[in-house]
Amino acid sequence: MKLSAFFLSIFTALLLWLAWPTMPFTPLVFIGFTPLLYLTEKIHHRGKYFGWIFFSLLIWNVATTWWVGNTPVPASGVFANSFNALLMSIPWLAYKNSRRRLPETMAYFALIVYWLTFEWVHQTWELSWPWLVLGNAFAMRPGWVQWYEITGASGGTLWVLLANITIYQVWKRARIYDLSWAQLLRREIWKPAAVIAAPLLLSAFIHPAPDPDRKTGVVIVQPNIDPYDEKFSASSAIEQLHKFIRLSEEKADSDTRYFVWPETALFPTGAWEHQLNYQPEVQAIRQMLQRYPKARLVTGAVTMKQYRSTDEIPTTARMMEDGTYWEPFNAALQIDTSQSIQIYHKYELVPGVELVPYVRYISFMKTLALDFGGITGSYGRTPGATMLASPSDSINIFPTICYESVFSDYVAGGVKPGANLLAIITNDGWWGNTEGHRQHLQYARLRAIETRRWVLRSANTGTSAVIDPAGNVSQPQPYWQEAVIKATVTPRQDITFYVRNGDLVSKGAVIFCILLLVHAFISRFIPGLRHAENNQ
């Protein structure tokens, strides 16, 4: 069994890797977990079972997201992949335990509930890493998942798990009852076929409503500034600004309403928020905007906020020598020709780089974060998504900065107050020309479907693009090249079921998970509730 367990563990990792963006074999995700379902039945020793499950999930993590270690600190990738595989093992261990208490069908239901709960938790706590949410597997197949406007990506997770369980059950019955191919086709094959086909058929009948007639001209800049050797050099900040302005004006005209620049385009070493109007970069931008008076700039920036003694001081705030507290932010700004600058603070911060998790409980670690340039240590977080509003044009942009665009429920929550365009501003150059930036682009397609919003994606080194409400990518720019996109998009007012109601699939799973845990606790004292695994 040891040798077969090794190959089955590797087989699961291989199937899931081949199914994951940007590999072309998406349908393999429907059978990726079947080897682990088999191992769950055959391995009874809990320690050995955990070892093989963890090994399989670790190989999948490494094969799919190895690039997180493609930084000056490779150990960060080792930890990230190992820790994520460990967390992924928890739902499988809980499922293994459920098989001792529950009938087989209920145990499968428990696996679905545990995994969906795990994904929900992994998007809401400070050690979040939703990159491998199973529903993301369909990012390159938007035509398959137009119904994400109802369920969000968690609906895709449910689909994947149901398909794996159903296919495994058919295979298992074929072996137990020694079914011929004819019998298998006649009696069993319709079950997984229905599970897989039903969402595909539903997707074929769901389309975004037609765009309104009102069009908005946008210019998206991809400056291609090296994030390691050039980006965070204070001496080159003004040179970078001139580059942004030059590229912006290459395709700007009288119809341009928005310029979009990438993450940390301005003030890479920080600027005080109460002094933004006096910054030479802002003054130069307003001079440019004078030539396009109907336009506004949405741009990334590093800002700093100083707290007065009467303010509520966040636990992440730092103290200067004079005793004043301050906090840095990875921010998005909207600048126009007036003296008003709208500010959005990134909320979903990258653990270990922008955020030391739960620093309020371990305050001595607040300055510990990986140094990728710019301000190090934990950045500030401001709860409550903020739109960048343009009342005169009735346009509200919800900006997501880098990693935030992977959080489906967070993006939907930002659209709900009335955002009618999405902007993704990012710097994906940290991990080089790897699958990281390509996967990140593909995930943005799912956010477009969930919210039915046009997406304006400005990436420092690529890939910048425009994505329509059906998830179709247009004008993708080559990686590691200067580029400018001129496009026409449509602000939309319609609200999808998912945006209006949130992630009901995950919330339902959390409720059932609590009930299952209560049942597990009670079953310790009521032997009649236990269901021996070896009797299944």
Side-chain angles (χ1 to χ4, degrees), residues 258-535:
Y258 282 96
F259 297 97
V260 184
W261 294 357
E263 180 183 13
T264 64
L266 296 182
F267 322 126
T269 57
W272 293 109
E273 291 187 354
H274 63 283
Q275 297 177 350
L276 290 180
N277 280 313
Y278 307 105
Q279 297 297 323
E281 293 92 335
V282 171
Q283 295 173 5
I285 288 167
R286 287 196 170 123
Q287 290 178 5
M288 178 192 77
L289 292 176
Q290 293 286 350
R291 299 188 284 275
Y292 312 96
K294 296 181 180 180
R296 296 170 172 81
L297 169 68
V298 173
T299 178
V302 178
T303 64
M304 301 178 294
K305 182 176 181 179
Q306 186 172 326
Y307 294 99
R308 296 166 298 189
S309 57
T310 56
D311 293 334
E312 183 177 346
I313 308 299
T315 56
T316 52
R318 313 176 190 192
M319 188 169 60
M320 294 188 285
E321 291 183 359
D322 63 357
T324 304
Y325 283 91
W326 69 284
E327 201 168 22
F329 294 95
N330 190 344
L333 310 178
Q334 181 171 286
I335 303 173
D336 55 26
T337 54
S338 73
Q339 291 298 301
S340 173
I341 297 178
Q342 297 182 42
I343 304 174
Y344 163 84
H345 293 152
K346 182 180 181 182
Y347 183 75
E348 298 292 353
L349 302 175
V350 180
V353 178
E354 299 174 314
L355 173 71
V356 177
Y358 300 104
V359 69
R360 56 191 171 277
Y361 304 118
I362 46 175
S363 57
F364 68 92
M365 295 182 64
K366 68 169 58 179
T367 59
L368 298 181
L370 299 180
D371 184 359
F372 283 179
I375 297 174
T376 59
S378 280
Y379 280 67
R381 308 172 81 192
T382 302
T386 304
M387 296 183 299
L388 303 178
S390 302
S392 61
D393 294 328
S394 299
I395 296 176
N396 299 316
I397 291 183
F398 180 60
T400 59
I401 302 176
C402 187
Y403 182 58
E404 289 183 314
S405 65
V406 188
F407 293 77
S408 56
D409 203 34
Y410 178 76
V411 174
V415 170
K416 187 175 181 179
N420 42 30
L421 288 175
L422 284 176
I424 296 176
I425 56 177
T426 184
N427 183 3
D428 291 343
W430 297 115
W431 294 277
N433 191 11
T434 65
E435 287 301 300
H437 75 88
R438 288 185 279 272
Q439 291 169 353
H440 199 192
L441 169 66
Q442 298 301 322
Y443 295 164
R445 307 172 77 174
L446 302 180
R447 305 294 86 80
I449 294 170
E450 291 163 348
T451 62
R452 296 305 188 190
R453 293 293 183 266
W454 284 84
V455 176
L456 318 176
R457 191 174 197 273
S458 175
N460 174 30
T461 57
T463 300
S464 299
V466 176
I467 304 173
D468 71 18
N472 300 307
V473 179
S474 62
Q475 301 190 59
Q477 300 303 305
Y479 185 76
W480 209 258
Q481 291 185 24
E482 284 186 12
V484 187
I485 297 173
K486 180 180 180 180
T488 301
V489 300
T490 304
R492 297 170 60 97
Q493 305 297 333
D494 53 322
I495 298 294
T496 66
F497 181 90
Y498 180 69
V499 169
R500 184 182 299 110
N501 298 286
D503 190 355
L504 296 182
V505 173
S506 293
K507 292 173 183 175
V510 171
I511 292 172
F512 280 113
C513 183
I514 293 171
L515 294 175
L516 285 168
L517 294 176
V518 170
H519 176 273
F521 177 77
I522 295 175
S523 67
R524 291 177 176 271
F525 306 100
I526 306 177
L529 292 179
R530 299 176 66 84
H531 186 94
E533 181 179 6
N534 56 15
N535 290 332

Side-chain angles (χ1 to χ4, degrees), residues 150-191:
I150 302 171
T151 68
S154 59
T157 296
L158 177 61
W159 188 23
V160 169
L161 294 172
L162 280 174
N164 274 271
I165 291 168
T166 308
I167 289 172
Y168 176 71
Q169 279 293 88
V170 168
W171 173 84
K172 184 178 174 181
R173 289 193 184 99
R175 293 192 64 191
I176 292 174
Y177 300 111
D178 195 23
L179 298 179
S180 66
W181 279 105
Q183 292 172 319
L184 184 66
L185 291 172
R186 187 170 61 253
R187 299 181 188 177
E188 300 290 342
I189 206 67
W190 66 271
K191 299 173 185 176

